[in-house]
mmCIF file of all heavy atoms in Angstrom:
data_model
loop_
_atom_site.group_PDB
_atom_site.id
_atom_site.type_symbol
_atom_site.label_atom_id
_atom_site.label_comp_id
_atom_site.label_asym_id
_atom_site.label_seq_id
_atom_site.Cartn_x
_atom_site.Cartn_y
_atom_site.Cartn_z
ATOM 1 N N THR B 425 36.019 -6.524 -98.497
ATOM 2 C CA THR B 425 36.856 -5.821 -97.517
ATOM 3 C C THR B 425 37.558 -6.828 -96.583
ATOM 4 O O THR B 425 36.955 -7.860 -96.275
ATOM 5 C CB THR B 425 36.050 -4.822 -96.689
ATOM 6 O OG1 THR B 425 36.984 -3.949 -96.038
ATOM 7 C CG2 THR B 425 35.219 -5.493 -95.612
ATOM 8 N N GLY B 426 38.774 -6.615 -96.217
ATOM 9 C CA GLY B 426 39.390 -7.410 -95.191
ATOM 10 C C GLY B 426 40.105 -8.636 -95.645
ATOM 11 O O GLY B 426 40.618 -9.384 -94.849
ATOM 12 N N THR B 427 40.212 -8.947 -97.003
ATOM 13 C CA THR B 427 40.871 -10.132 -97.418
ATOM 14 C C THR B 427 42.353 -10.045 -97.086
ATOM 15 O O THR B 427 42.969 -11.046 -96.810
ATOM 16 C CB THR B 427 40.670 -10.373 -98.915
ATOM 17 O OG1 THR B 427 40.942 -9.185 -99.658
ATOM 18 C CG2 THR B 427 39.225 -10.844 -99.231
ATOM 19 N N GLY B 428 42.961 -8.855 -97.134
ATOM 20 C CA GLY B 428 44.328 -8.680 -96.703
ATOM 21 C C GLY B 428 44.492 -9.004 -95.212
ATOM 22 O O GLY B 428 45.378 -9.732 -94.819
ATOM 23 N N CYS B 429 43.658 -8.408 -94.395
ATOM 24 C CA CYS B 429 43.667 -8.637 -92.969
ATOM 25 C C CYS B 429 43.496 -10.153 -92.680
ATOM 26 O O CYS B 429 44.142 -10.721 -91.799
ATOM 27 C CB CYS B 429 42.568 -7.845 -92.215
ATOM 28 S SG CYS B 429 42.763 -6.027 -92.423
ATOM 29 N N MET B 430 42.581 -10.787 -93.415
ATOM 30 C CA MET B 430 42.358 -12.210 -93.174
ATOM 31 C C MET B 430 43.642 -13.008 -93.543
ATOM 32 O O MET B 430 43.968 -14.035 -92.897
ATOM 33 C CB MET B 430 41.182 -12.691 -94.004
ATOM 34 C CG MET B 430 39.828 -12.308 -93.425
ATOM 35 S SD MET B 430 38.453 -13.059 -94.357
ATOM 36 C CE MET B 430 37.882 -11.668 -95.311
ATOM 37 N N THR B 431 44.302 -12.575 -94.612
ATOM 38 C CA THR B 431 45.559 -13.252 -95.001
ATOM 39 C C THR B 431 46.563 -13.192 -93.847
ATOM 40 O O THR B 431 47.262 -14.113 -93.536
ATOM 41 C CB THR B 431 46.129 -12.602 -96.291
ATOM 42 O OG1 THR B 431 45.177 -12.703 -97.308
ATOM 43 C CG2 THR B 431 47.377 -13.358 -96.724
ATOM 44 N N THR B 432 46.604 -11.980 -93.208
ATOM 45 C CA THR B 432 47.533 -11.818 -92.073
ATOM 46 C C THR B 432 47.150 -12.804 -90.945
ATOM 47 O O THR B 432 48.049 -13.403 -90.357
ATOM 48 C CB THR B 432 47.437 -10.380 -91.536
ATOM 49 O OG1 THR B 432 47.861 -9.495 -92.582
ATOM 50 C CG2 THR B 432 48.311 -10.229 -90.298
ATOM 51 N N SER B 433 45.884 -13.014 -90.735
ATOM 52 C CA SER B 433 45.464 -13.997 -89.717
ATOM 53 C C SER B 433 45.902 -15.426 -90.079
ATOM 54 O O SER B 433 46.326 -16.175 -89.259
ATOM 55 C CB SER B 433 43.966 -13.962 -89.570
ATOM 56 O OG SER B 433 43.535 -12.774 -88.986
ATOM 57 N N LEU B 434 45.801 -15.755 -91.392
ATOM 58 C CA LEU B 434 46.161 -17.086 -91.804
ATOM 59 C C LEU B 434 47.695 -17.280 -91.676
ATOM 60 O O LEU B 434 48.223 -18.348 -91.184
ATOM 61 C CB LEU B 434 45.795 -17.338 -93.261
ATOM 62 C CG LEU B 434 44.318 -17.295 -93.610
ATOM 63 C CD1 LEU B 434 44.069 -17.808 -95.043
ATOM 64 C CD2 LEU B 434 43.449 -18.102 -92.610
ATOM 65 N N VAL B 435 48.450 -16.174 -91.999
ATOM 66 C CA VAL B 435 49.925 -16.235 -91.848
ATOM 67 C C VAL B 435 50.269 -16.420 -90.428
ATOM 68 O O VAL B 435 51.141 -17.269 -90.079
ATOM 69 C CB VAL B 435 50.535 -14.905 -92.342
ATOM 70 C CG1 VAL B 435 51.947 -14.705 -91.842
ATOM 71 C CG2 VAL B 435 50.526 -14.870 -93.872
ATOM 72 N N ALA B 436 49.584 -15.754 -89.473
ATOM 73 C CA ALA B 436 49.868 -15.873 -88.042
ATOM 74 C C ALA B 436 49.585 -17.281 -87.570
ATOM 75 O O ALA B 436 50.227 -17.871 -86.744
ATOM 76 C CB ALA B 436 49.096 -14.848 -87.240
ATOM 77 N N ALA B 437 48.412 -17.846 -88.040
ATOM 78 C CA ALA B 437 48.017 -19.186 -87.616
ATOM 79 C C ALA B 437 49.133 -20.179 -88.020
ATOM 80 O O ALA B 437 49.505 -21.092 -87.279
ATOM 81 C CB ALA B 437 46.711 -19.604 -88.278
ATOM 82 N N CYS B 438 49.655 -20.053 -89.246
ATOM 83 C CA CYS B 438 50.714 -20.930 -89.676
ATOM 84 C C CYS B 438 51.995 -20.691 -88.859
ATOM 85 O O CYS B 438 52.701 -21.615 -88.500
ATOM 86 C CB CYS B 438 50.974 -20.697 -91.141
ATOM 87 S SG CYS B 438 49.603 -21.255 -92.214
#
Side-chain angles (χ1 to χ4, degrees):
Chain B
T425 197
T427 48
C429 298
M430 284 186 259
T431 304
T432 300
S433 291
L434 300 190
V435 163
C438 293

